Amino acid sequence: MVDFHSHFLFDVDDGAKDIEMSLAMLNMSSKQGVTTIVSTPHYYADAAKPHVAATARDESIEELIAYAKQENVRIPEIKRGFEVRVQKKLYEIDDFSELCIENTKTILLEMPLKSWDEDLLDVVEYIKTEKGLDIVIAHLERYLERIPNDLIFRLLEKNLYVQINAGSLVKRDKLDFICELFRNGMAHVIGSDAHNMSSRCSLMDIGHAYIRRNLGQEYVDKIEETAKKLLNL
Ligand SMILES: [Fe+2]
């Protein structure tokens, strides 16, 4: 199972608060059946250059892998990535390679929680067409009640990939809409978006079970297939 979106790294964003929590989160993922997990710390272009953020992320990963070995804890394979906030400042970045998931042309983009406008959609279009990247929009379901539907559909028209949070599938008010997105080929991969071991922990196993129960095993298989394709696995 692939977890496409997680904040299990320590010392890089609002995710795990220390290395012990990072290891506990990875162990939990592993027990849920996650075999590959994408590390997606938040990236804000107005806060750091890509190289600076990538260095901090990679140090955290290296330390964590060594710690897992030392503690003899089984963890999923880690892929390096970011959750890149869409903002106009991204126009100033020439080389997007360090913002993509390692060894891919796939980038996980996060829209702001409010104030979408045409300019913001243009940034997404620019990254897709000018930089030639495969775009995955993080947790689209989070914007449903906050953003005018016409803007959400304008975004979806751009032929992007959409990631859904596993935890959203257990919410009755969101499940039907999410299932419709998958049925219509407008949602593609699942991520935990885990930040800790409690209020925002990984629910990847439950999320997959909901997909299986409500859409069928073929959708579980399709989600895995798409995730692996996007990660070049
Ligand atoms: Fe996230």
Side-chain angles (χ1 to χ4, degrees):
M1 186 193 297
V2 175
D3 181 350
F4 217 89
H5 179 168
S6 179
H7 300 267
F8 63 85
L9 290 179
F10 64 100
D11 276 358
V12 288
D13 65 0
D14 60 340
K17 65 174 173 52
D18 53 36
I19 196 166
E20 283 79 20
M21 189 187 282
S22 292
L23 192 58
M25 289 172 73
L26 285 182
N27 191 226
M28 180 188 248
S29 301
S30 186
K31 285 177 177 164
Q32 290 178 1
V34 174
T35 48
T36 302
I37 191 163
V38 188
S39 63
T40 54
H42 293 285
Y43 175 78
Y44 302 100
D46 55 1
K49 299 272 184 227
H51 187 64
V52 173
T55 302
R57 177 201 61 196
D58 295 352
E59 281 172 8
S60 183
I61 291 175
E62 272 165 38
E63 225 179 296
L64 185 51
I65 290 173
Y67 187 53
K69 215 171 258 172
Q70 180 197 309
E71 297 294 311
N72 208 14
V73 173
R74 199 167 61 132
I75 61 172
E77 182 190 3
I78 298 171
K79 293 285 175 197
R80 294 155 200 248
F82 282 111
E83 179 178 15
V84 178
R85 169 60 62 85
V86 176
Q87 51 183 206
K88 284 190 217 159
K89 189 86 178 165
L90 288 171
Y91 285 126
E92 294 174 24
I93 294 175
D94 188 41
D95 181 4
F96 272 67
S97 58
E98 286 193 291
L99 297 179
C100 291
I101 298 170
E102 66 176 90
N103 302 323
T104 73
K105 295 193 98 184
T106 302
I107 188 166
L108 181 69
L109 294 183
E110 179 191 40
M111 300 296 285
L113 268 183
K114 50 185 179 179
S115 310
W116 289 24
D117 58 23
E118 293 297 327
D119 291 347
L120 214 58
L121 296 184
D122 285 347
V123 177
V124 176
E125 182 68 32
Y126 166 80
I127 295 171
K128 181 173 188 261
T129 54
E130 296 295 317
K131 298 296 175 185
L133 303 183
D134 287 325
I135 289 174
V136 181
I137 297 291
H139 42 58
L140 183 85
E141 76 282 5
R142 185 185 280 185
Y143 307 105
L144 294 179
E145 298 98 32
R146 298 177 166 105
I147 303 295
N149 280 356
D150 61 316
L151 281 173
I152 292 182
F153 283 109
R154 291 277 315 284
L155 181 70
L156 291 175
E157 276 169 6
K158 294 183 184 299
N159 254 330
L160 314 167
Y161 291 90
V162 164
Q163 176 257 312
I164 300 293
N165 281 359
S168 298
L169 288 154
V170 306
K171 295 179 181 151
R172 193 64 247 179
D173 58 325
K174 290 213 160 71
L175 179 64
D176 291 344
F177 180 82
I178 293 171
C179 286
E180 272 314 291
L181 285 178
F182 275 110
R183 283 195 195 95
N184 290 313
M186 296 165 102
H188 309 88
V189 291
I190 302 274
S192 66
D193 198 11
H195 281 66
N196 54 43
M197 288 290 286
S198 51
S199 58
R200 298 183 78 182
C201 68
S202 174
L203 294 173
M204 285 297 291
D205 51 351
I206 297 175
H208 266 234
Y210 269 75
I211 295 275
R212 192 173 296 113
R213 193 182 314 150
N214 289 278
L215 291 165
Q217 180 64 35
E218 69 266 33
Y219 280 84
V220 175
D221 296 342
K222 203 170 167 191
I223 287 166
E224 284 298 290
E225 203 179 290
T226 307
K228 286 179 177 163
K229 188 184 84 180
L230 286 167
L231 296 178
N232 281 334
L233 291 178

